[in-house]
């Protein structure tokens, strides 16, 4: 299976998501938050730095729960604007 390269907008969305997670983590360590979410610290590091801009839904949900964030907040931060003037596009799979 060949993965389609990410668009600049998708990469930017991943970076925004990483910033949101870092801000929500606050003074908690990456290891502490990763353990609470049931993911590896390396996975969290990659997401926070934008190297893994499209984490799975279950990873996102677990991180949201561990950080006390709602999925609605995360979806809003990750929305891509639609160029035709319509509403913001929801998270893509």
């Amino acid at each position: 299976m060949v993965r389609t390269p990410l668009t600049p907008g998708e990469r930017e969305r991943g970076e925004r998501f990483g910033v949101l997670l870092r801000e929500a983590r606050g003074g908690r360590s990456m290891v502490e938050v990763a353990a609470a979410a049931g993911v590896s610290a390396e996975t969290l590091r990659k997401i926070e730095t934008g190297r893994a801009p499209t984490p799975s839904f279950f990873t996102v949900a677990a991180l949201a729960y561990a950080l006390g964030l709602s999925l609605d907040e995360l979806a809003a931060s990750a929305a891509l604007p639609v160029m035709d003037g319509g509403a913001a596009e929801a998270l893509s799979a």
Side-chain angles (χ1 to χ4, degrees):
M1 178 171 122
V2 176
R3 183 178 171 108
T4 305
L6 297 173
T7 66
E10 290 168 331
R11 285 192 299 276
E12 179 189 338
R13 180 179 61 192
E15 291 169 6
R16 285 194 320 266
F17 182 61
V19 167
L20 177 68
L21 292 180
R22 277 193 305 279
E23 289 174 355
R25 187 164 53 83
R28 294 171 66 185
S29 76
M30 194 175 286
V31 172
E32 178 186 350
V33 171
V39 300
S40 72
E42 178 65 12
T43 294
L44 179 55
R45 186 182 67 74
K46 285 180 180 178
I47 294 168
E48 284 191 0
T49 60
R51 287 188 46 227
T54 58
S56 76
F57 171 79
F58 295 104
T59 298
V60 171
L63 288 168
Y65 182 76
L67 293 167
L69 298 171
S70 75
L71 291 177
D72 288 338
E73 289 176 273
L74 296 179
S77 76
L80 290 174
V82 176
M83 295 305 189
D84 66 3
E89 181 181 292
L91 283 171
S92 63

